[in-house]
Amino acid sequence: MPETLTHKILASHLAAGELTPGADITIAVDQILIEDATGTMTAMQFEMLGADSIAVPLAVMYVDHNVLQIDDKNMQDHHYLRTFSARYGLRYSPAGHGISHYIHLEHFSRPGQVLVGADSHTSTAGALGMFALGAGGLEVAVAMAGYGFDFVCPAVVGVELTGTLGPNAEAKDVVLELLRRHGVRGGRGKVFEFYGEGVASLSVSARATICNMIIETGAATAIFPSDDQTLAWLRAQRRGDQFVPLAADAGAMYDDDERLDLSALVPLVALPHSPGNVRPVSELPRTEVVQVCVGSSVNSSYEDLATVAAILKGHTVHPSVQLTVTPGSRQILQTIIASGVYEDLMQAGARMLEPVCGPCVGIGQAPTAGAPSLRTFNRNFPGRSGTAEDAVYLCSPSTAAASALEGAIVDASTVSRGELRPATPPHPEVHDLHIAGVLPLETRRAIGIERGSNLVPPPQPTPMPADLDARVLIAVGDDISTGDMAPDGAIAMSVWSNIAVCARFMFRRLDPGFHDRAIEWSGGIIVGGENYGQGSSREHAALIPLYLGVRVVAARSYARIHRRNLIAAGIVPLVLPADAQGSTGQRWVIEGLADALASGATSVAAQVDGDKELVLGLDFSPAERAVLTAGGLLAQVRTGGRSMLAGDAVVQDDAAGVAAPGRSAR
């Protein structure tokens, strides 16, 4: 039977289960990606597993988020992550070397392999024909320790691309069009697999933009075939020997089908406060901007920055606009300097930032409250920029450049555009110079791990109570992001290694009294709307409620990663009926909760304020129930509820990774 590319890769890595949408599966993992913001919790939980070394072919730790160092907390984290990596066999990329997703695409991603990362935008590597999935830190730690990666098998949507992009449309407009169609919920439970004659016209950098931002639809990931564009990329990175041609079989049947004509796309923009709030630029009223930001984990490739420079060359940005530009990696920084792109940007008035996440996560360049800020980023959730009352719009690099000149949001058809400066050959050796290798195991066992006072192990759940009697701590609306639970910004993120301190920031934008109320009431229940926990993979959004005594959340629906993080933390994500409401202070009594989970029941009743019954859904796969009844994922693993995968995982210490034998998809 003809297979999709997604199923080819999953089948070649399948350790347990069947490739049926909604079924529990376990897959072997080739590569692990971790970044510092989620990395400290990932690392501390890995240590709790008692492993002596990583048990996957390659794991890389990137420091790219908490690098501003307004006090010593960031550097404490860096020291811990560097020595943790040295001890357990991870490669280590230091602060300033680049953003994890770009470096991984340049130096480590390989067609046909499986990558699991403690960052939601790990999906970027799908541009090179990888199955790349973001997850919470504990699930990543468990996979890194050799237990494989458990998840619910997604449906596969085949997206047929036809035509080629017009002069003013870009890859960002492709993914914005998909967000216009699906919103931030329509991709849940799905993988978007691209095929068709239009694919060949998209560079790897363009594909990376699409794969990175597809997550905002709620999707698990996205993937492109491994083809001539892939080969050209790998050869440029001196990794041509790692090329494997990969594509879906002719006649492969998808769970759903979609068609997108690249030639029909127009420049698009996502309005505040959602990546799914998409409109054509031409339909906007005149919207003056005070800030334009180019770059982040998306749209900071050489191609993107050269596009901006080609529009800006010979001009200066509008006097009312501040323009910042962030290259994705040190290699890209080298290339824009050598090619002249850096000079063009600087002469136009751009502020050139170091290759780190920076303003994408609210660390620097916070905009004026209420004043439009136009960014080529992937998210514009309320407050993510570092300004609580922000007004962030998302767009393509060419729209950003044209708008920086105009002082208002316009597309690139309004300005002249020179030819892109050709890229000088990249220098992949810069990664070998700065990314630490792996020492022999006996040497590693003697390495001491540095633990500053900012590093505090996360809380662990107590056994699930037989019955629950608690008050509603807060009731929030639809599409609440994990950024409202564990906020972005230099100050809040600097304490992500200490859940007790981090907890003081939970829901601060929505309800400043939440933390103190939770402490006073010794925990309680959180009530949410649709798509609760969208956005970042940060498991702090589950660990903070656990610390505050929350054992259940009731929401109408959940974002994939946050739901799994709640389960891993031993918190039960109940399904709230569409017509039900919750309000702060209500008392809910749920009798028989633990038995209902263990027995496979599909619902449980809550008595609300003693006089009203509310039926709540228990929508879990068998594997998810097993985690909850064990008291969380860490407890399940430590008590023998999960088995390590038998196989050929080895510690990897070369520059570009190796394929585990028998795991390549064809």
Side-chain angles (χ1 to χ4, degrees), residues 107-368:
H107 207 54
F108 298 112
S109 299
R110 296 184 63 164
Q113 292 198 348
V114 166
L115 169 67
V116 174
D119 187 289
S120 57
H121 293 118
T122 298
S123 56
T124 306
L128 277 182
M130 291 193 90
F131 185 83
L133 201 65
L138 179 52
E139 289 196 303
V140 172
V142 169
M144 189 163 66
Y147 293 89
F149 183 71
D150 279 18
F151 67 116
V152 173
C153 183
V156 184
V157 178
V159 183
E160 182 183 7
L161 299 181
T162 62
T164 57
L165 292 170
N168 298 310
E170 295 182 52
K172 187 60 158 281
D173 299 306
V174 175
V175 73
L176 286 173
E177 169 62 18
L178 291 171
L179 277 157
R180 187 189 66 78
R181 296 181 184 185
H182 296 278
V184 293
R185 307 175 196 168
R188 288 180 298 189
K190 301 174 183 177
V191 171
F192 285 82
E193 180 173 313
F194 295 89
Y195 71 99
E197 49 92 8
V199 166
S201 67
L202 297 176
S203 67
V204 167
S205 293
R207 298 174 187 187
T209 294
I210 296 166
C211 289
N212 176 290
M213 201 170 170
I214 200 70
I215 298 305
E216 312 315 327
T217 67
T221 191
I223 190 169
F224 277 84
S226 176
D227 56 11
D228 288 347
Q229 292 277 12
T230 314
L231 177 59
W233 175 274
L234 290 171
R235 282 177 172 167
Q237 298 295 333
R238 301 177 194 167
R239 299 197 287 131
D241 60 321
Q242 296 171 10
F243 173 70
V244 179
L246 292 171
D249 293 331
M253 298 295 293
Y254 292 95
D255 297 300
D256 200 359
D257 294 282
E258 192 158 349
R259 186 181 177 91
L260 199 157
D261 181 0
L262 297 175
S263 63
L265 285 176
V266 298
L268 299 170
V269 62
L271 281 63
H273 292 283
S274 172
N277 188 14
V278 177
R279 302 285 186 278
V281 174
S282 62
E283 294 183 7
L284 263 63
R286 182 172 176 83
T287 304
E288 295 184 351
V289 297
V290 298
Q291 182 187 56
V292 175
C293 297
V294 176
S296 73
S297 69
V298 65
N299 290 133
S300 56
S301 70
Y302 177 83
E303 187 177 306
D304 295 319
L305 305 191
T307 296
V308 173
I311 293 172
L312 296 181
K313 187 177 181 181
H315 306 282
T316 56
V317 300
H318 193 279
S320 67
V321 174
Q322 289 188 7
L323 170 65
T324 70
V325 176
T326 303
S329 70
R330 186 170 270 144
Q331 184 186 102
I332 294 169
L333 178 58
Q334 284 182 322
T335 307
I336 63 172
I337 291 172
S339 68
V341 164
Y342 189 101
E343 180 70 16
D344 292 341
L345 294 168
M346 188 177 64
Q347 288 290 347
R351 296 174 58 190
M352 302 303 296
L353 307 182
E354 69 173 321
V356 296
C357 295
C360 183
V361 289
I363 298 180
Q365 285 67 57
T368 305

Side-chain angles (χ1 to χ4, degrees), residues 31 63 110 116 120 215 358 366 377 397 423 425 442 457 471 487 493 517 535:
Q31 299 186 6
V63 177
R110 296 184 63 164
V116 174
S120 57
I215 298 305
F377 299 175
E442 290 304 318
R471 283 186 280 181
M493 291 182 70
R517 185 184 313 122

Side-chain angles (χ1 to χ4, degrees), residues 539-597:
E539 66 184 327
H540 308 71
L543 293 172
I544 293 170
L546 177 64
Y547 165 78
L548 292 174
V550 173
R551 295 310 303 267
V552 303
V553 175
R556 292 192 177 90
S557 65
Y558 297 84
R560 175 186 67 88
I561 300 178
H562 183 60
R563 179 179 173 277
R564 295 286 293 199
N565 285 345
L566 290 171
I567 292 169
I571 297 174
V572 184
L574 301 168
V575 179
L576 186 72
D579 59 350
Q581 301 289 333
S583 60
T584 303
Q586 284 180 337
R587 182 173 294 279
W588 290 17
V589 177
I590 305 175
E591 295 183 347
L593 176 60
D595 287 344
L597 283 169

Side-chain angles (χ1 to χ4, degrees), residues 412-432:
S413 66
T414 63
V415 297
S416 60
R417 182 197 307 240
E419 293 294 322
L420 266 64
R421 288 186 181 270
T424 59
H427 295 281
E429 64 272 11
V430 70
H431 296 310
D432 296 324

